[in-house]
Amino acid sequence: MAMILLLGSKMVWDELEAGRTIPLQLLLFALVLKGLLTTQTMSLLRASGIGFVAGLAVMNRFDAALLPVLAAAMVGWITRSPARAAIAFAACLLL
C-alpha cells in the first residue's frame, strides 16, 4: 500500500527525473565501496556500518535495491563469516 502511495505521487517522480539524488547516491556507493576495500580486519561494527549505508542508498533511490544483497555477499566473501554477512544485511533492514 505504501509503495502504491509513494509511486503515485507526482512529487516523487519529479524528484527522480530531475536527478537531484544522483550526487548523494554516488557518495553512498563510494562509502560502501570504501568500507569493503579497507585493509583492516572487518569487525561486526564495520559490517553493520556497510549494511546501514547500503540501506540508506536504497532509501535514497530505489534503483539501488540490490546493493544491500551485494554488499552482504561481499562482506561474507571477504570475511568468510556468514554471521558478519547476516549482520550487514540486517543493518540495511533496520531503516
Side-chain angles (χ1 to χ4, degrees):
M1 181 69 177
M3 183 67 84
I4 293 170
L5 292 174
L6 180 68
L7 293 177
S9 172
K10 179 154 174 47
M11 184 173 57
V12 171
W13 286 109
D14 289 341
E15 183 68 27
L16 290 175
E17 290 171 355
R20 290 184 286 255
T21 59
I22 293 174
L24 178 59
Q25 192 68 22
L26 291 176
L27 175 68
L28 293 171
F29 282 156
L31 288 174
V32 169
L33 187 61
K34 183 182 182 317
L36 289 172
L37 294 179
T38 55
T39 58
Q40 301 171 354
T41 60
M42 188 168 303
S43 63
L44 286 174
L45 183 63
R46 181 178 301 258
S48 64
I50 291 170
F52 185 76
V53 173
L56 284 176
V58 173
M59 294 294 288
N60 186 44
R61 288 185 60 100
F62 292 121
D63 55 0
L66 291 179
L67 182 64
V69 175
L70 294 174
M74 288 301 296
V75 167
W77 183 70
I78 290 170
T79 63
R80 306 283 191 242
S81 170
R84 287 194 172 99
I87 290 293
F89 190 70
C92 79
L93 295 178
L94 289 176
L95 295 174

